[in-house]
Amino acid sequence: AAGVIQSPRHLIKEKRETATLKCYPIPRHDTVYWYQQGPGQDPQFLISFYEKMQSDKGSIPDRFSAQQFSDYHSELNMSSLELGDSALYFCASSLEGVAGNEQFFGPGTRLTVL
Amino acid sequence: AQTVTQSQPEMSVQEAETVTLSCTYDTSENNYYLFWYKQPPSRQMILVIRQEAYKQQNATENRFSVNFQKAAKSFSLKISDSQLGDTAMYFCALIFYGQNFVFGPGTRLSVLP
């Protein structure tokens, strides 16, 4: 079965650069969530989208933005990168009203800021 | 490959009673973390409790405690004095430092008044 796809899997950037992470949900899933996990830290919810509209917002810095496109894939845009942004970013997708909105997580994108 | 199994898709418990959610996992790694996450209707993933695999002592966090059996690769969650606000989906998760989560399929817990 198709799973959540994230690209790239690994990304290395310099401070103050920008980065764009992409998430392709499971086909027909209409909700995407983004999480950030620092080394040895708990994953922190960043933001979620349902039907291309922002549905919930967590601890997303103002330097980050995200959107969900008409094909339901989502992109997380990160600007003015800081060393503390080095983390594993994973997204999850779910289908509203199905299986209790069970989230299926992608493998994550490992971002390293030098 | 690492796998996490939660054999109870749904459970219910009366308010103020105790419930135990089961979780088993499979890994060949020796250093890892185990987590229980709660996902309420808000859909945010809320950390309930964590256990470092190298620690033999079972983790506790207020009304939540785990029974970690490393040799058996078992990591169950006990919720004491269940409250209505405990109603949520509970995910058991396995993680290796710097790598992606491996979550179980979840257990939907309903706390009944």
Side-chain angles (χ1 to χ4, degrees):
Chain A
V4 176
I5 297 172
Q6 289 187 247
S7 68
R9 293 294 308 275
H10 302 274
L11 187 61
I12 299 175
K13 290 287 185 178
E14 301 278 345
K15 284 194 302 183
R16 293 179 289 277
E17 287 190 326
T18 62
T20 297
L21 310 185
K22 297 183 179 182
C23 172
Y24 297 88
I26 292 172
R28 294 185 298 279
H29 277 198
D30 52 15
T31 307
V32 171
Y33 315 78
W34 285 97
Y35 295 84
Q36 175 193 56
Q37 183 194 14
Q41 300 296 315
D42 317 311
Q44 296 295 313
F45 171 72
L46 294 178
I47 196 166
S48 61
F49 292 87
Y50 167 65
E51 283 291 344
K52 294 153 281 185
M53 298 289 290
Q54 181 181 311
S55 58
D56 203 354
K57 191 173 182 179
S59 54
I60 185 169
D62 291 339
R63 299 177 289 108
F64 295 5
S65 65
Q67 59 181 329
Q68 186 178 32
F69 294 85
S70 58
D71 64 349
Y72 294 102
H73 93 273
S74 178
E75 296 184 359
L76 177 64
N77 299 294
M78 311 161 69
S79 62
S80 302
L81 287 170
E82 302 173 356
L83 295 179
D85 296 329
S86 294
L88 178 66
Y89 292 83
F90 57 94
C91 77
S93 73
S94 67
L95 180 59
E96 176 70 23
V98 174
N101 297 327
E102 179 183 0
Q103 292 187 29
F104 295 83
F105 289 84
T109 293
R110 190 181 309 178
L111 172 66
T112 301
V113 181
L114 304 176
Chain B
Q2 287 72 232
T3 60
V4 177
T5 302
Q6 293 177 252
S7 60
Q8 305 149 315
E10 295 187 8
M11 293 191 72
S12 62
V13 62
Q14 291 294 136
E15 194 175 7
E17 293 188 345
T18 296
V19 64
T20 298
L21 310 184
S22 64
C23 172
T24 59
Y25 60 95
D26 188 31
T27 178
S28 58
E29 299 285 339
N30 197 46
N31 296 316
Y32 51 88
Y33 296 86
L34 291 159
F35 300 79
W36 278 98
Y37 280 92
K38 168 185 176 181
Q39 185 186 31
S42 67
R43 302 180 200 166
Q44 293 190 25
M45 296 289 279
I46 301 170
L47 177 65
V48 175
I49 199 165
R50 85 164 80 191
Q51 175 83 41
E52 290 88 347
Y54 64 87
K55 292 185 177 180
Q56 294 185 345
Q57 185 175 3
N58 288 327
T60 63
E61 192 71 33
N62 300 317
R63 298 183 294 108
F64 301 89
S65 61
V66 299
N67 183 6
F68 175 45
Q69 302 290 328
K70 189 172 184 178
K73 296 180 181 176
S74 171
F75 184 61
S76 61
L77 174 68
K78 185 172 79 172
I79 305 174
S80 304
D81 187 26
S82 297
Q83 301 176 0
L84 296 178
D86 296 333
T87 293
M89 193 78 163
Y90 286 81
F91 292 94
C92 178
L94 171 67
I95 190 168
F96 309 96
Y97 177 83
Q99 298 187 30
N100 59 286
F101 273 91
V102 178
F103 285 89
T107 295
R108 181 168 297 282
L109 177 67
S110 298
V111 179
L112 308 174

